[in-house]
Amino acid sequence: MKIKFPISLKQILLFSFLIILVLGVSTTLVSTLIRNDDRINAEQNNHAINGRTAQTIQSQFENIKRNSYVFFQALSFLQKDNEKNQLKTSFFRSNPDILFIATEATGFLFNPEAVIYENDVRNFVNLSKNISGTEYYNSSDVFGIPSVVLIFSYGFENDIKKAAVGFDVHFFCELMSTGSNNATMLADKNGKILINPDYDSQQKECSDAVKSNIQTLLKNEKDTNTQNEDDGIITAVNQISDNLFVITSVSEKSVYAVINRTTNRIILFSLAVFFMAIILIRIFSNNITNPIKELVGASAQIERGEFELDIKPHTHDEIGLLTTSFVQMGKGLAEREKLMTSFSKFTNKTIAQKAASGELTLGGENREVTIFFSDIRSFTAMSEKMQPKEVVEFLNEYMTKMVSCVNKTGGVVDKYIGDAVMAVWGAPESSGTPTDDALNAVTAALMMRVALYKFNMERSQKGLAPVRIGCGINTGTVVAGQIGSEERMEYTVIGDAVNLASRTEALNKPFATDILITENTYNLIKDKIIVQQMPGVHVKGKADEIKMYAVINLSGRDRPDTIEEVRRIIGTTEPDLSKVNTDDEEKKYSIQA
């Protein structure tokens, strides 16, 4: 429909005048108002925040050293192991942020609630190193959480001992996050950052300007704080004990962006202009509001699922064109609703979308895919102790975490079989090559291992038993297509490769593993993963021995790097394969010693 009387022609002059008036006057106000007061307030506020934060941080650090000293002294007076254990338990309960404490006499004592690798701590902390005074080290990258290690000396003149304390600095990060535009960090005398609330920034050292401020304070013992501006950044530096420096900064840009007094004046003036504009625009709006009310009513109909609209255009402007488009949209939504009803027989959204766009070929086709099966160990026994509602809630929570790993790696969930999940990489579309699909499948399984570990940590806090699963992965040629009846169809893959993947999953139980892949998958990605070869297995329907590999990790990743470490993580122990009953698991396999 051709627009004869466009709305823009009716209102362009009025709105142009108002916009020029508002922007012109606002710009004049902003450019002429004095900003010096706001700058002074920003500097004072930045300096005050820096001082308060420095006092609190110094107090907390002194408490940590004092509590550790008292603990070491008390521990040296105790003779019985049970008394020492009770003291250790009481200390960590009273100081939950402390990850570990250590001396040359006591060795390393770890907080049982802390999730850190003890070997990393021992490798990082060297008590025999010649350190004078007190030293602080940023251990966030080593321990995987924001943390600091403090090494100091204690004792008497003839009996000086070294001690190390590692503690979680989440409290300090929250303290430094003021919620304003000010950013606070803690650094040592060399400008190396010890605590940064913006943990993701990966910033290791302060800027050259801040380092210069630190050196100035170190040289001038009378001054403990300073404030200056460099490159548009207002920075306050406060020296605390042990030659540590609290640094608080705010950018001039953020200061000028929130000039409340000027903003309020602009808002008040804009409101006055706005009310004047309402009076003038109201005169010309009657021919717009009535059609808009009809469109609002039509929108409500569409929200209720009533797509057949009984409205007609009354004008020949944009509103009339919009009304016509609304009616056409309703008809299109009605057709789409019918189409999506037909697609409801598909259980997978990706497949339904491909079918809707015509990309999915009817019938079957041969495809090189990677098939994945996972199953919960002893789920039947677990579910017998639960109410039906609890079983459903558990499965929903568990499936959500596992399926997320499949989706993130480009896989498609083929079906749910009770507590089991079947997924496919490479059908109906591939990530690139069969090698890419195989690697994505293994990556998803490793992600599931991590997700299940965190899930079990949550269950452990609730007093619930851990969940263990087995994952089987195989790569091969399958027939992929739509299978079913006229009432319901399902896109799936069938073939010997699928059966072998299912049987591979079952072998995790006797092998005490959680991720097994066949040699078909291994040959594609053997240079990208760390594995442990399992004993050969004869599978029903296969004449030759099938090689199986337990997946440890992706190449290039530090941990885990052995099958023993994997078994510790998943809560299993090394099995005695000579005693495995080969009639188990529905007689699907036999193990060759």
Side-chain angles (χ1 to χ4, degrees):
M1 178 185 297
K2 186 177 181 180
I3 300 175
K4 295 183 179 180
F5 306 103
I7 296 176
S8 59
L9 184 62
K10 302 175 183 177
Q11 299 183 347
I12 188 171
L13 295 177
L14 177 62
F15 278 116
S16 296
F17 172 76
L18 292 175
I19 290 173
I20 293 173
L21 177 64
V22 172
L23 290 181
V25 175
S26 299
T27 302
T28 302
L29 287 173
V30 171
S31 61
T32 55
L33 289 175
I34 300 175
R35 298 187 178 186
N36 189 50
D37 290 344
D38 296 287
R39 168 60 183 269
I40 294 174
N41 290 336
E43 290 180 349
Q44 292 175 345
N45 182 57
N46 190 60
H47 192 273
I49 291 175
N50 181 257
R52 292 196 301 268
T53 306
Q55 291 178 357
T56 304
I57 291 176
Q58 177 166 318
S59 175
Q60 291 295 324
F61 277 11
E62 290 176 352
N63 286 339
I64 291 174
K65 289 195 294 184
R66 182 169 55 254
N67 292 343
S68 300
Y69 174 79
V70 171
F71 171 76
F72 291 137
Q73 292 295 97
L75 193 64
S76 65
F77 288 110
L78 298 178
Q79 301 297 326
K80 297 181 179 180
D81 291 340
N82 62 335
E83 293 177 343
K84 292 182 178 181
N85 290 333
Q86 289 177 359
L87 178 61
K88 172 186 172 183
T89 301
S90 176
F91 175 78
F92 282 120
R93 184 182 298 115
S94 302
N95 301 272
D97 290 336
I98 293 183
L99 304 175
F100 73 91
I101 54 177
T103 65
E104 295 174 307
T106 64
F108 287 85
L109 302 177
F110 293 92
N111 189 334
E113 300 298 327
V115 182
I116 55 175
Y117 287 107
E118 298 181 4
N119 289 336
D120 290 345
V121 175
R122 292 187 173 92
N123 294 334
F124 185 78
V125 178
N126 184 5
L127 291 177
S128 63
K129 185 178 179 181
N130 185 16
I131 296 176
S132 60
T134 301
E135 296 288 344
Y136 294 82
Y137 300 92
N138 188 337
S139 58
S140 301
D141 291 341
V142 178
F143 299 165
I145 58 174
S147 56
V148 168
V149 171
L150 161 64
I151 299 180
F152 63 96
S153 301
Y154 74 98
F156 301 101
E157 182 176 355
N158 297 326
D159 186 21
I160 302 299
K161 299 178 181 178
K162 292 181 181 178
V165 180
F167 51 94
D168 189 329
V169 296
H170 277 98
F171 167 78
F172 295 95
C173 292
E174 293 175 0
L175 173 67
M176 295 178 181
S177 300
T178 61
S180 63
N181 294 316
N182 302 78
T184 302
M185 299 183 297
L186 179 69
D188 62 13
K189 63 183 179 181
N190 298 316
K192 294 184 179 180
I193 297 175
L194 297 176
I195 302 177
N196 185 358
D198 187 8
Y199 182 67
D200 295 330
S201 69
Q202 301 298 319
Q203 184 179 354
K204 303 298 183 184
E205 296 186 0
C206 301
S207 65
D208 293 338
V210 173
K211 288 182 180 179
S212 177
N213 290 339
I214 291 175
Q215 294 303 316
T216 299
L217 291 176
L218 288 173
K219 293 177 182 178
N220 190 347
E221 297 181 356
K222 295 182 179 180
D223 295 332
T224 59
N225 60 78
T226 182
Q227 181 162 273
N228 66 355
E229 176 199 349
D230 181 71
D231 197 22
I233 303 295
I234 301 172
T235 303
V237 181
N238 201 315
Q239 183 178 6
I240 61 177
S241 60
D242 298 330
N243 283 333
L244 299 181
F245 296 85
V246 178
I247 304 147
T248 304
S249 60
V250 62
S251 67
E252 280 191 346
K253 183 178 179 181
S254 64
V255 171
Y256 294 142
V258 291
I259 304 177
N260 294 329
R261 182 175 64 257
T262 304
T263 301
N264 290 336
R265 291 177 180 176
I266 294 175
I267 291 175
L268 290 175
F269 183 80
S270 299
L271 286 174
V273 175
F274 177 71
F275 285 122
M276 293 175 60
I278 288 178
I279 297 173
L280 296 175
I281 294 173
R282 182 62 180 174
I283 300 174
F284 301 96
S285 64
N286 289 334
N287 62 332
I288 298 176
T289 55
N290 291 334
I292 289 179
K293 289 180 181 179
E294 285 190 346
L295 291 175
V296 171
S299 299
Q301 282 185 258
I302 291 177
E303 290 180 359
R304 294 193 298 268
E306 301 173 6
F307 302 123
E308 298 296 333
L309 304 178
D310 186 20
I311 58 174
K312 296 180 181 180
H314 300 289
T315 60
H316 297 282
D317 54 18
E318 287 90 339
I319 299 298
L321 180 60
L322 181 60
T323 302
T324 302
S325 299
F326 233 77
V327 175
Q328 295 299 325
M329 181 185 68
K331 294 179 180 179
L333 289 173
E335 292 297 325
R336 182 179 179 182
E337 183 71 13
K338 294 178 183 178
L339 185 61
M340 292 309 297
T341 299
S342 300
F343 282 171
S344 64
K345 62 186 69 177
F346 291 100
T347 59
N348 186 277
K349 182 179 179 181
T350 301
I351 301 214
Q353 291 175 341
K354 285 187 168 294
S357 61
E359 299 179 27
L360 196 61
T361 304
L362 295 175
E365 57 178 340
N366 290 332
R367 296 189 70 96
E368 184 80 8
V369 302
T370 296
I371 308 102
F372 166 93
F373 278 89
S374 73
D375 190 33
I376 299 177
R377 292 287 167 262
S378 304
F379 177 72
T380 301
M382 182 188 302
S383 62
E384 288 177 351
K385 302 176 182 178
M386 304 165 64
Q387 297 296 323
K389 181 180 179 181
E390 295 175 335
V391 174
V392 173
E393 290 177 350
F394 163 75
L395 284 177
N396 286 341
E397 184 178 6
Y398 164 78
M399 293 294 186
T400 298
K401 296 179 183 296
M402 299 301 106
V403 171
S404 175
C405 301
V406 175
N407 294 335
K408 289 178 181 178
T409 54
V412 173
V413 175
D414 186 281
K415 61 175 64 68
Y416 302 105
I417 313 168
D419 60 304
V421 177
M422 174 185 172
V424 179
W425 282 259
E429 61 181 11
S430 172
S431 299
T433 65
T435 299
D436 296 329
D437 295 328
L439 183 60
N440 286 339
V442 173
T443 301
L446 290 171
M447 291 170 63
M448 289 182 185
R449 176 188 290 167
V450 175
L452 186 65
Y453 179 82
K454 295 179 180 178
F455 183 46
N456 281 332
M457 291 291 292
E458 296 173 0
R459 289 178 59 83
S460 176
Q461 294 175 357
K462 300 176 183 177
L464 300 175
V467 177
R468 295 185 175 88
I469 66 172
C471 303
I473 300 174
N474 179 43
T475 303
T477 302
V478 299
V479 176
Q482 302 178 61
I483 299 175
S485 65
E486 294 182 356
E487 289 79 16
R488 181 177 178 82
M489 293 183 293
E490 182 181 48
Y491 185 91
T492 188
V493 295
I494 57 175
D496 186 61
V498 179
N499 298 333
L500 182 55
S502 175
R503 297 181 180 185
T504 300
E505 179 277 318
L507 291 170
N508 280 285
K509 185 175 182 180
F511 286 155
T513 57
D514 64 337
I515 305 173
L516 282 176
I517 63 175
T518 65
E519 59 183 318
N520 300 329
T521 304
Y522 172 75
N523 290 333
L524 288 173
I525 57 174
K526 57 185 177 182
D527 58 334
K528 297 179 175 63
I529 57 176
I530 303 172
V531 299
Q532 174 71 47
Q533 185 173 350
M534 295 288 102
V537 177
H538 279 106
V539 181
K540 287 183 61 178
K542 294 287 185 179
D544 298 329
E545 180 182 272
I546 301 296
K547 294 180 181 179
M548 295 290 169
Y549 299 86
V551 178
I552 298 173
N553 208 338
L554 295 176
S555 297
R557 295 190 178 180
D558 293 336
R559 311 185 70 155
D561 54 9
T562 64
I563 188 63
E564 291 77 13
E565 190 170 358
V566 170
R567 285 178 173 137
R568 286 197 298 270
I569 293 173
I570 65 177
T572 62
T573 57
E574 182 177 359
D576 184 355
L577 298 178
S578 63
K579 297 181 179 180
V580 172
N581 185 355
T582 57
D583 292 331
D584 284 349
E585 306 298 335
E586 300 176 354
K587 299 182 180 180
K588 291 181 180 177
Y589 56 83
S590 61
I591 297 178
Q592 309 299 313

